[in-house]
Every structure is written in C-alpha cells, then in structure tokens.
Amino acid sequence: YDTILIDCRAGTDIPTVAGIVAATSIIGTTQAGLKELRNTVSLMDYVPAIADGYERPLTLVGILPCAVPAAGRAYKEALDLAGEVFGADVLLPAVRRSVAVTEAHAERVPLTARTRWAPVTDDYRAVVAALVSRGVIAADATVGSGA
C-alpha cells in the first residue's frame, strides 16, 4: 500500500502491524480532545519504531483531527496543542462534526456527491489539498472523485 489510515490508537495487534509494514506512509486520526491526542502521540514513536524494526521506508505523513465540534474553547485548545505537538508539517486540516458524514456513509454515497457544497465537504477538500501538496497523493488522483 502507498498510504494507510489508522483510525484508532496504534496498537501492536497483527492487522495493525501488517498494515503499517505493507505501507510507505501513515495517516493517523484523532478527535479534538486531550485524551485522544495523548493516544495519537504514540504514533510518533510507534511508526518510526516499526520502520526501523522492519527496515521499511515508512513515514507518518499526517494526523487528521476528525469530528471536531464547531464551537468550544476546550476543542480549540486541544487543536492548538495538537499543532504544537505534531507541527504544521504533520497536522492536517480539521474535519468538523457533521451529521452529513454519517448520512452519506449510511447511504453509501460519497460525501462529495451527497452534500457537495456543505462546510464539512470543504473540510475534506482541504485535507485532500494538504495531502496533494505534501506529495502523499497525486493531484490527478482526485479527478472525478468530487474532491
């Protein structure tokens, strides 16, 4: 695989390690809370350790804050801390909490097709743009995807 997304705290279970070893780049997700960020920080040690242990060219290319509430000082503080911990070269644009995401998933319709102009869809477009600018995905890979 080129890139895999770790959608929970990094663990040492076999599927997680197998996915990481098979990839060349990793994106981790987090929610905008201090506890969740603390768990995600483990990726900063975990990914390089696996890269060294398995002699693989592996990079943590992004941390994606998901389901971020639109308001709340605690969430803003958590995202500010994430920016300090991960740095601008790793932290990806945040994706806000929206029922549109859940509905699109339930309907098995891409979010960019279901709610083309919703603010949360723009969040996803910002993530894609960031990944393109970092060279994680090719610009032409988004053609036709609604991104």
Side-chain angles (χ1 to χ4, degrees), residues 6 26 37 49 56 62 103 125 135 140:
I6 304 222
I26 306 296
L37 286 169
R56 296 276 303 137
E103 290 172 346
R125 287 187 183 102
D140 60 351

Side-chain angles (χ1 to χ4, degrees), residues 6-126:
I6 304 222
D7 192 24
C8 58
R9 183 178 176 184
T12 56
D13 55 327
I14 299 228
T16 301
V17 173
I20 291 173
V21 170
T24 55
S25 58
I26 306 296
I27 298 171
T29 64
T30 189
Q31 292 189 355
L34 294 178
K35 177 183 148 208
E36 292 84 0
L37 286 169
R38 210 171 300 124
N39 289 339
T40 306
V41 168
S42 67
L43 282 173
M44 296 184 77
D45 295 325
Y46 191 68
V47 170
I50 289 179
D52 290 344
Y54 287 90
E55 299 178 1
R56 296 276 303 137
L58 184 59
T59 308
L60 179 62
V61 295
I63 298 294
L64 177 62
C66 295
V68 176
R73 185 174 170 177
Y75 299 109
K76 182 178 178 342
E77 288 174 1
L79 289 175
D80 289 345
L81 177 62
E84 291 173 22
V85 170
F86 299 114
D89 58 329
V90 175
L91 191 66
L92 291 164
V95 175
R96 73 193 76 210
R97 178 178 287 150
S98 174
V99 70
V101 174
T102 305
E103 290 172 346
H105 177 73
E107 294 171 9
R108 297 177 188 226
V109 176
L111 180 68
T112 52
R114 186 182 185 285
T115 53
R116 194 167 180 88
W117 307 115
V120 70
T121 309
D122 291 338
D123 295 346
Y124 278 95
R125 287 187 183 102

